[in-house]
Amino acid sequence: MPGDLSSELDRRAREILSANDRGGYTVPNGRVYPFQWNWDSAFVALGFATFDKDRAWREIETLFEGQWEDGFVPHIIFWKDDPGYFPGPSVWGTQRTPRTSGITQPPVAASVVRSLWEDEGDPSFRPRLELLFPKLMAWHHWFHTFRDPIGKGVVVAMHPWETGRDNSPEWDAPALAIDTSQVGHYQRQDTGHLDPSMRPTKLEYDRYVALVQFGSRVGWDHARISAENPFRVADVGMTMILLRANRDLLALAEALGSQAEAAEVRGWIALAEAGVGWLWNEEVGAYCSRDVITGRSSGYVTSASFLGFYAGLRTEARDARTLAHLERFGRSTRYLMPSLDPDEGGFDAIRYWRGPVWAVVNYMIGTGLAEAGLTVWADRVRDDTRRLIETAGFYEAFSPVTAQGTGGGDFSWTAAIWLHWLSERSASSG
Ligand code: GLC
């Protein structure tokens, strides 16, 4: 890539993060997502770290200011009112200060904190690490208490939004159990900002709202939700991300000399390593999410199916079958990694999590492939991501067929992944 294009994109990416910075936290996109989102903030910190380390730590610290006493970290913190998003804080009804949603999101924060700590090698950040570490422990503890009701070390999502892959077809069958007859009238805001063909359907949105109403009715009692929620799906994405995050948390525990915590985290890792096989679908030859209520595997190969490498899992037979899908995806689409198998009937190159490529997911997949020594594939995923951004700009997601940008523009986490992983500056530093 010509160096001037790379540095122009570096400049643009920094500009986007600064424009979306609301003072201590960053909105994913000023119009569509005007609050602090959980995993967005974690990835955004990686971007800030390339030019403002203090601000990077601050992003994570602000996220943990929304943590509840039981360790839960919400998927949204509503720091300020904004009528441009539905459902706002009054619909969630969590009765918290700051106001928050009642579900969580994929726990990437521990992995990001490890990266901030180790990449910088600056001991002056140690007091900040010491303050964050128990909060990270408490959040992971919460996951193992309230999001693993079957005790296998797999993460059971209670809402499609919790997975971060909102309208993945993996949720279609499990969501049939959600009663939407009492949802009532509400006004979506997302389709006012963006072309509805890129967004979830009305039926999907009704189900999202019905689950929020259920949580609110039971007072966001996480124990009751974990036992009674009408949607309970072991998500392959969150499971892999938590396993990876536990390995990173263990490294932090060791760096801090926290023996008891290290032992507890080792237990979580061992549990997940033994339990994750429950998500392997032998017929399909991939990791797929599984409905806990019916026991059914989704049978869909999605971008999340490739996160086993990122989770540090290496199993010869499973890896070979996963890589066969990767090769097939690579032949069927111009740009990896489509969020859904491009040979599936429901594949839709521009509809959110039913086809488009997401830079943050590619970052995790590419990192895992590189760590597994699968350099050719790691490079392909990284180069494709780079080309998508060069072609379309810093979109929320991209068509794997045409590189068209989909969803919102000037997206914070896409800018952050550029700075951390894709710019020539980051490439030269490894
Ligand atoms: C959408 C995405 C989710 C993301 C949020 C904010 O809901 O599906 O992963 O966190 O937008 O960007």
Side-chain angles (χ1 to χ4, degrees):
M1 156 185 35
D4 46 351
L5 175 58
S6 182
S7 44
E8 170 56 19
L9 288 169
D10 288 0
R11 193 189 56 73
R12 215 19 232 134
R14 286 193 294 264
E15 220 169 71
I16 289 170
L17 291 189
S18 302
N20 289 342
D21 184 354
R22 295 289 178 272
Y25 73 95
T26 308
V27 297
N29 165 287
R31 277 187 321 137
V32 195
Y33 300 108
F35 309 108
Q36 182 170 24
W37 257 260
N38 186 322
W39 73 327
D40 294 66
S41 263
F43 288 117
V44 157
L46 292 176
F48 273 123
T50 65
F51 64 100
D52 185 345
K53 299 189 189 326
D54 170 69
R55 184 62 188 76
W57 284 87
R58 184 80 201 107
E59 186 77 26
I60 308 284
E61 289 160 352
T62 315
L63 175 63
F64 278 85
E65 282 172 24
Q67 186 168 37
W68 295 10
E69 303 78 53
D70 64 357
F72 165 81
V73 183
H75 100 295
I76 304 176
I77 308 178
F78 301 101
W79 290 108
K80 287 184 203 150
D81 284 328
D82 194 308
Y85 179 83
F86 178 87
S90 60
V91 182
W92 288 95
T94 54
Q95 318 287 347
R96 294 273 152 174
T97 311
R99 291 168 306 162
T100 75
S101 69
I103 56 168
T104 193
Q105 257 191 336
V108 288
S111 301
V112 168
V113 170
R114 180 182 183 189
S115 163
L116 296 183
W117 172 244
E118 289 183 356
D119 294 355
E120 288 161 20
D122 180 347
S124 71
F125 287 107
R126 189 175 170 113
R128 296 173 81 166
L129 173 64
E130 284 171 355
L131 283 174
L132 271 175
F133 176 74
K135 299 179 183 181
L136 289 164
M137 277 299 295
W139 189 25
H140 286 212
H141 201 272
W142 178 88
F143 264 106
H144 289 279
T145 310
F146 295 113
R147 286 299 187 265
D148 183 16
I150 49 175
K152 287 185 187 292
V154 301
V155 177
V156 178
M158 301 294 163
H159 195 297
W161 284 339
E162 199 155 68
T163 69
R165 300 185 293 130
D166 308 10
N167 69 335
S168 170
E170 293 210 282
W171 325 135
D172 289 357
L176 292 171
I178 304 170
D179 175 12
T180 56
S181 63
Q182 305 300 315
V183 162
H185 175 73
Y186 62 92
Q187 181 68 46
R188 278 173 81 163
Q189 299 293 333
D190 59 318
T191 42
H193 301 302
L194 296 168
D195 183 341
S197 67
M198 295 178 175
R199 300 290 303 173
T201 62
K202 156 100 174 103
L203 173 60
E204 282 159 351
Y205 235 81
D206 281 354
R207 289 168 173 162
Y208 302 155
V209 174
L211 288 174
V212 172
Q213 291 170 343
F214 176 85
S216 170
R217 248 195 331 275
V218 300
W220 297 106
D221 173 339
H222 293 134
R224 272 193 72 181
I225 290 172
S226 140
E228 298 169 28
N229 203 55
F231 177 93
R232 274 171 275 154
V233 183
D235 169 25
V236 64
M238 293 181 95
T239 298
M240 297 303 182
I241 288 170
L242 180 63
L243 175 50
R244 168 59 183 248
N246 273 329
R247 296 189 199 281
D248 293 324
L249 192 59
L250 176 59
L252 292 174
E254 284 166 351
L256 292 172
S258 305
Q259 310 293 349
E261 286 83 355
E264 184 167 27
V265 178
R266 277 192 205 101
W268 295 334
I269 294 171
L271 184 68
E273 284 178 341
V276 73
W278 194 61
L279 299 184
W280 178 259
N281 183 322
E282 183 59 27
E283 201 182 317
V284 173
Y287 285 109
C288 306
S289 299
R290 192 190 270 265
D291 187 339
V292 169
I293 299 174
T294 63
R296 278 193 42 207
S297 170
S298 83
Y300 285 109
V301 189
T302 70
S303 47
S305 304
F306 300 97
L307 288 173
F309 301 107
Y310 177 75
L313 298 171
R314 300 307 317 272
T315 322
E316 219 176 298
R318 287 182 191 168
D319 290 358
R321 296 195 69 190
T322 303
L323 289 172
H325 287 299
L326 182 59
E327 277 175 40
R328 184 171 57 75
F329 278 33
R331 282 194 305 271
S332 297
T333 59
R334 172 70 190 79
Y335 302 94
L336 290 173
M337 181 62 76
S339 43
L340 175 62
D341 186 336
D343 298 323
E344 265 298 334
F347 173 80
D348 182 337
I350 61 162
R351 200 183 279 279
Y352 224 35
W353 293 93
R354 291 181 183 253
V357 179
W358 293 71
V360 291
V361 177
N362 276 16
Y363 163 67
M364 294 185 288
I365 294 172
T367 301
L369 289 167
E371 287 170 354
L374 297 159
T375 318
V376 171
W377 286 113
D379 289 348
R380 163 88 194 260
V381 171
R382 181 156 150 168
D383 292 345
D384 284 2
T385 321
R386 190 181 281 131
R387 260 195 295 276
L388 286 167
I389 295 175
E390 284 169 5
T391 309
F394 294 100
Y395 271 90
E396 183 172 11
F398 306 86
S399 159
V401 181
T402 65
Q404 174 198 346
T406 71
D410 289 355
F411 231 82
S412 297
W413 67 8
T414 310
I417 291 301
W418 173 271
L419 290 169
H420 176 72
W421 191 51
L422 302 172
S423 92
E424 278 192 350
R425 185 199 33 71
S426 57
S428 58
S429 65

PDB file of all heavy atoms in Angstrom, residues 28 33 37 39-40 105 164 166 352-353 358 396 411 413, ligand 1:
ATOM      1  N   PRO A  28     -19.859   4.528  19.569  1.00  0.00           N
ATOM      2  CA  PRO A  28     -19.494   3.760  18.365  1.00  0.00           C
ATOM      3  C   PRO A  28     -19.693   4.573  17.095  1.00  0.00           C
ATOM      4  O   PRO A  28     -18.902   4.502  16.151  1.00  0.00           O
ATOM      5  CB  PRO A  28     -20.456   2.565  18.404  1.00  0.00           C
ATOM      6  CG  PRO A  28     -20.797   2.400  19.858  1.00  0.00           C
ATOM      7  CD  PRO A  28     -20.817   3.796  20.432  1.00  0.00           C
ATOM      8  N   TYR A  33     -25.500   5.060  17.311  1.00  0.00           N
ATOM      9  CA  TYR A  33     -25.176   4.493  18.634  1.00  0.00           C
ATOM     10  C   TYR A  33     -24.574   5.571  19.532  1.00  0.00           C
ATOM     11  O   TYR A  33     -23.358   5.631  19.728  1.00  0.00           O
ATOM     12  CB  TYR A  33     -24.180   3.338  18.478  1.00  0.00           C
ATOM     13  CG  TYR A  33     -24.706   2.210  17.615  1.00  0.00           C
ATOM     14  CD1 TYR A  33     -24.198   1.993  16.341  1.00  0.00           C
ATOM     15  CD2 TYR A  33     -25.713   1.366  18.082  1.00  0.00           C
ATOM     16  CE1 TYR A  33     -24.673   0.959  15.540  1.00  0.00           C
ATOM     17  CE2 TYR A  33     -26.202   0.336  17.296  1.00  0.00           C
ATOM     18  CZ  TYR A  33     -25.679   0.137  16.028  1.00  0.00           C
ATOM     19  OH  TYR A  33     -26.156  -0.884  15.246  1.00  0.00           O
ATOM     20  N   TRP A  37     -20.819   1.720  24.414  1.00  0.00           N
ATOM     21  CA  TRP A  37     -21.068   0.283  24.246  1.00  0.00           C
ATOM     22  C   TRP A  37     -19.868  -0.490  24.770  1.00  0.00           C
ATOM     23  O   TRP A  37     -18.714  -0.057  24.584  1.00  0.00           O
ATOM     24  CB  TRP A  37     -21.286  -0.059  22.771  1.00  0.00           C
ATOM     25  CG  TRP A  37     -22.716  -0.288  22.404  1.00  0.00           C
ATOM     26  CD1 TRP A  37     -23.337  -1.489  22.245  1.00  0.00           C
ATOM     27  CD2 TRP A  37     -23.719   0.702  22.134  1.00  0.00           C
ATOM     28  NE1 TRP A  37     -24.654  -1.300  21.901  1.00  0.00           N
ATOM     29  CE2 TRP A  37     -24.921   0.026  21.829  1.00  0.00           C
ATOM     30  CE3 TRP A  37     -23.731   2.105  22.148  1.00  0.00           C
ATOM     31  CZ2 TRP A  37     -26.098   0.691  21.521  1.00  0.00           C
ATOM     32  CZ3 TRP A  37     -24.903   2.764  21.842  1.00  0.00           C
ATOM     33  CH2 TRP A  37     -26.074   2.054  21.530  1.00  0.00           C
ATOM     34  N   TRP A  39     -18.196  -3.796  24.286  1.00  0.00           N
ATOM     35  CA  TRP A  39     -17.026  -4.333  23.577  1.00  0.00           C
ATOM     36  C   TRP A  39     -16.485  -3.334  22.571  1.00  0.00           C
ATOM     37  O   TRP A  39     -15.306  -3.375  22.234  1.00  0.00           O
ATOM     38  CB  TRP A  39     -17.255  -5.738  23.039  1.00  0.00           C
ATOM     39  CG  TRP A  39     -18.141  -6.000  21.856  1.00  0.00           C
ATOM     40  CD1 TRP A  39     -19.249  -5.330  21.487  1.00  0.00           C
ATOM     41  CD2 TRP A  39     -17.964  -7.061  20.898  1.00  0.00           C
ATOM     42  NE1 TRP A  39     -19.804  -5.908  20.376  1.00  0.00           N
ATOM     43  CE2 TRP A  39     -19.043  -6.978  19.989  1.00  0.00           C
ATOM     44  CE3 TRP A  39     -17.038  -8.075  20.726  1.00  0.00           C
ATOM     45  CZ2 TRP A  39     -19.192  -7.868  18.925  1.00  0.00           C
ATOM     46  CZ3 TRP A  39     -17.190  -8.963  19.664  1.00  0.00           C
ATOM     47  CH2 TRP A  39     -18.248  -8.858  18.777  1.00  0.00           C
ATOM     48  N   ASP A  40     -17.328  -2.402  22.117  1.00  0.00           N
ATOM     49  CA  ASP A  40     -16.809  -1.329  21.261  1.00  0.00           C
ATOM     50  C   ASP A  40     -15.720  -0.555  22.010  1.00  0.00           C
ATOM     51  O   ASP A  40     -14.648  -0.272  21.470  1.00  0.00           O
ATOM     52  CB  ASP A  40     -17.921  -0.347  20.876  1.00  0.00           C
ATOM     53  CG  ASP A  40     -18.992  -0.967  19.995  1.00  0.00           C
ATOM     54  OD1 ASP A  40     -19.712  -1.860  20.487  1.00  0.00           O
ATOM     55  OD2 ASP A  40     -19.104  -0.569  18.816  1.00  0.00           O
ATOM     56  N   GLN A 105     -22.094  -7.973  27.081  1.00  0.00           N
ATOM     57  CA  GLN A 105     -21.570  -8.178  25.724  1.00  0.00           C
ATOM     58  C   GLN A 105     -20.278  -8.997  25.803  1.00  0.00           C
ATOM     59  O   GLN A 105     -19.758  -9.234  26.889  1.00  0.00           O
ATOM     60  CB  GLN A 105     -21.305  -6.811  25.052  1.00  0.00           C
ATOM     61  CG  GLN A 105     -22.379  -6.438  24.039  1.00  0.00           C
ATOM     62  CD  GLN A 105     -22.021  -5.244  23.179  1.00  0.00           C
ATOM     63  OE1 GLN A 105     -21.210  -4.403  23.563  1.00  0.00           O
ATOM     64  NE2 GLN A 105     -22.635  -5.150  22.008  1.00  0.00           N
ATOM     65  N   GLY A 164     -23.391  -9.650  20.566  1.00  0.00           N
ATOM     66  CA  GLY A 164     -22.751  -8.676  19.682  1.00  0.00           C
ATOM     67  C   GLY A 164     -23.005  -8.980  18.215  1.00  0.00           C
ATOM     68  O   GLY A 164     -22.643  -8.206  17.349  1.00  0.00           O
ATOM     69  N   ASP A 166     -26.033  -9.374  16.481  1.00  0.00           N
ATOM     70  CA  ASP A 166     -27.462  -9.204  16.742  1.00  0.00           C
ATOM     71  C   ASP A 166     -28.400 -10.108  15.935  1.00  0.00           C
ATOM     72  O   ASP A 166     -29.258 -10.758  16.495  1.00  0.00           O
ATOM     73  CB  ASP A 166     -27.864  -7.744  16.496  1.00  0.00           C
ATOM     74  CG  ASP A 166     -26.984  -6.757  17.252  1.00  0.00           C
ATOM     75  OD1 ASP A 166     -25.957  -7.158  17.818  1.00  0.00           O
ATOM     76  OD2 ASP A 166     -27.324  -5.572  17.274  1.00  0.00           O
ATOM     77  N   TYR A 352     -26.055  -6.772   7.903  1.00  0.00           N
ATOM     78  CA  TYR A 352     -25.606  -6.827   9.291  1.00  0.00           C
ATOM     79  C   TYR A 352     -24.816  -8.100   9.627  1.00  0.00           C
ATOM     80  O   TYR A 352     -23.708  -8.248   9.156  1.00  0.00           O
ATOM     81  CB  TYR A 352     -26.855  -6.671  10.150  1.00  0.00           C
ATOM     82  CG  TYR A 352     -26.692  -5.737  11.318  1.00  0.00           C
ATOM     83  CD1 TYR A 352     -25.913  -4.605  11.247  1.00  0.00           C
ATOM     84  CD2 TYR A 352     -27.343  -6.006  12.523  1.00  0.00           C
ATOM     85  CE1 TYR A 352     -25.785  -3.770  12.338  1.00  0.00           C
ATOM     86  CE2 TYR A 352     -27.228  -5.168  13.609  1.00  0.00           C
ATOM     87  CZ  TYR A 352     -26.445  -4.052  13.510  1.00  0.00           C
ATOM     88  OH  TYR A 352     -26.322  -3.242  14.590  1.00  0.00           O
ATOM     89  N   TRP A 353     -25.369  -9.034  10.392  1.00  0.00           N
ATOM     90  CA  TRP A 353     -24.611 -10.231  10.767  1.00  0.00           C
ATOM     91  C   TRP A 353     -25.030 -11.442   9.947  1.00  0.00           C
ATOM     92  O   TRP A 353     -24.838 -12.577  10.366  1.00  0.00           O
ATOM     93  CB  TRP A 353     -24.733 -10.503  12.270  1.00  0.00           C
ATOM     94  CG  TRP A 353     -24.062  -9.453  13.101  1.00  0.00           C
ATOM     95  CD1 TRP A 353     -24.629  -8.336  13.643  1.00  0.00           C
ATOM     96  CD2 TRP A 353     -22.675  -9.374  13.471  1.00  0.00           C
ATOM     97  NE1 TRP A 353     -23.702  -7.583  14.325  1.00  0.00           N
ATOM     98  CE2 TRP A 353     -22.494  -8.199  14.241  1.00  0.00           C
ATOM     99  CE3 TRP A 353     -21.559 -10.192  13.224  1.00  0.00           C
ATOM    100  CZ2 TRP A 353     -21.252  -7.819  14.767  1.00  0.00           C
ATOM    101  CZ3 TRP A 353     -20.318  -9.811  13.766  1.00  0.00           C
ATOM    102  CH2 TRP A 353     -20.184  -8.645  14.518  1.00  0.00           C
ATOM    103  N   TRP A 358     -16.890  -7.822   9.502  1.00  0.00           N
ATOM    104  CA  TRP A 358     -16.715  -6.873  10.612  1.00  0.00           C
ATOM    105  C   TRP A 358     -15.230  -6.838  10.977  1.00  0.00           C
ATOM    106  O   TRP A 358     -14.633  -7.894  11.262  1.00  0.00           O
ATOM    107  CB  TRP A 358     -17.549  -7.317  11.810  1.00  0.00           C
ATOM    108  CG  TRP A 358     -19.030  -7.234  11.542  1.00  0.00           C
ATOM    109  CD1 TRP A 358     -19.753  -8.054  10.713  1.00  0.00           C
ATOM    110  CD2 TRP A 358     -19.953  -6.268  12.056  1.00  0.00           C
ATOM    111  NE1 TRP A 358     -21.072  -7.650  10.704  1.00  0.00           N
ATOM    112  CE2 TRP A 358     -21.231  -6.564  11.508  1.00  0.00           C
ATOM    113  CE3 TRP A 358     -19.833  -5.182  12.932  1.00  0.00           C
ATOM    114  CZ2 TRP A 358     -22.369  -5.800  11.818  1.00  0.00           C
ATOM    115  CZ3 TRP A 358     -20.967  -4.441  13.236  1.00  0.00           C
ATOM    116  CH2 TRP A 358     -22.211  -4.749  12.685  1.00  0.00           C
ATOM    117  N   GLU A 396     -19.150   0.595   9.438  1.00  0.00           N
ATOM    118  CA  GLU A 396     -19.488  -0.359  10.502  1.00  0.00           C
ATOM    119  C   GLU A 396     -19.141  -1.779  10.056  1.00  0.00           C
ATOM    120  O   GLU A 396     -18.570  -2.564  10.807  1.00  0.00           O
ATOM    121  CB  GLU A 396     -20.992  -0.241  10.785  1.00  0.00           C
ATOM    122  CG  GLU A 396     -21.496  -1.115  11.917  1.00  0.00           C
ATOM    123  CD  GLU A 396     -22.956  -0.809  12.274  1.00  0.00           C
ATOM    124  OE1 GLU A 396     -23.620  -0.077  11.512  1.00  0.00           O
ATOM    125  OE2 GLU A 396     -23.416  -1.306  13.316  1.00  0.00           O
ATOM    126  N   PHE A 411     -17.032   4.823  11.865  1.00  0.00           N
ATOM    127  CA  PHE A 411     -17.265   3.933  12.999  1.00  0.00           C
ATOM    128  C   PHE A 411     -16.015   3.797  13.869  1.00  0.00           C
ATOM    129  O   PHE A 411     -14.932   3.488  13.381  1.00  0.00           O
ATOM    130  CB  PHE A 411     -17.718   2.561  12.488  1.00  0.00           C
ATOM    131  CG  PHE A 411     -18.959   2.111  13.181  1.00  0.00           C
ATOM    132  CD1 PHE A 411     -20.194   2.575  12.764  1.00  0.00           C
ATOM    133  CD2 PHE A 411     -18.885   1.281  14.282  1.00  0.00           C
ATOM    134  CE1 PHE A 411     -21.351   2.193  13.445  1.00  0.00           C
ATOM    135  CE2 PHE A 411     -20.024   0.898  14.967  1.00  0.00           C
ATOM    136  CZ  PHE A 411     -21.269   1.352  14.548  1.00  0.00           C
ATOM    137  N   TRP A 413     -14.886   1.574  16.184  1.00  0.00           N
ATOM    138  CA  TRP A 413     -14.056   0.368  16.335  1.00  0.00           C
ATOM    139  C   TRP A 413     -13.349   0.005  15.043  1.00  0.00           C
ATOM    140  O   TRP A 413     -12.274  -0.591  15.074  1.00  0.00           O
ATOM    141  CB  TRP A 413     -14.794  -0.780  17.001  1.00  0.00           C
ATOM    142  CG  TRP A 413     -15.949  -1.457  16.296  1.00  0.00           C
ATOM    143  CD1 TRP A 413     -16.384  -1.283  15.020  1.00  0.00           C
ATOM    144  CD2 TRP A 413     -16.796  -2.455  16.879  1.00  0.00           C
ATOM    145  NE1 TRP A 413     -17.453  -2.107  14.772  1.00  0.00           N
ATOM    146  CE2 TRP A 413     -17.731  -2.841  15.896  1.00  0.00           C
ATOM    147  CE3 TRP A 413     -16.846  -3.085  18.131  1.00  0.00           C
ATOM    148  CZ2 TRP A 413     -18.712  -3.807  16.124  1.00  0.00           C
ATOM    149  CZ3 TRP A 413     -17.822  -4.053  18.361  1.00  0.00           C
ATOM    150  CH2 TRP A 413     -18.739  -4.403  17.369  1.00  0.00           C
TER     151      TRP A 413
HETATM  152  C1  GLC B   1     -24.589  -3.399  16.973  1.00  0.00           C
HETATM  153  C2  GLC B   1     -23.594  -4.540  16.854  1.00  0.00           C
HETATM  154  C3  GLC B   1     -22.875  -4.720  18.167  1.00  0.00           C
HETATM  155  C4  GLC B   1     -22.201  -3.407  18.546  1.00  0.00           C
HETATM  156  C5  GLC B   1     -23.205  -2.233  18.543  1.00  0.00           C
HETATM  157  C6  GLC B   1     -22.519  -0.884  18.672  1.00  0.00           C
HETATM  158  O1  GLC B   1     -25.578  -3.670  17.904  1.00  0.00           O
HETATM  159  O2  GLC B   1     -24.232  -5.717  16.460  1.00  0.00           O
HETATM  160  O3  GLC B   1     -21.927  -5.747  18.083  1.00  0.00           O
HETATM  161  O4  GLC B   1     -21.617  -3.487  19.798  1.00  0.00           O
HETATM  162  O5  GLC B   1     -23.913  -2.229  17.321  1.00  0.00           O
HETATM  163  O6  GLC B   1     -21.559  -0.697  17.672  1.00  0.00           O
END
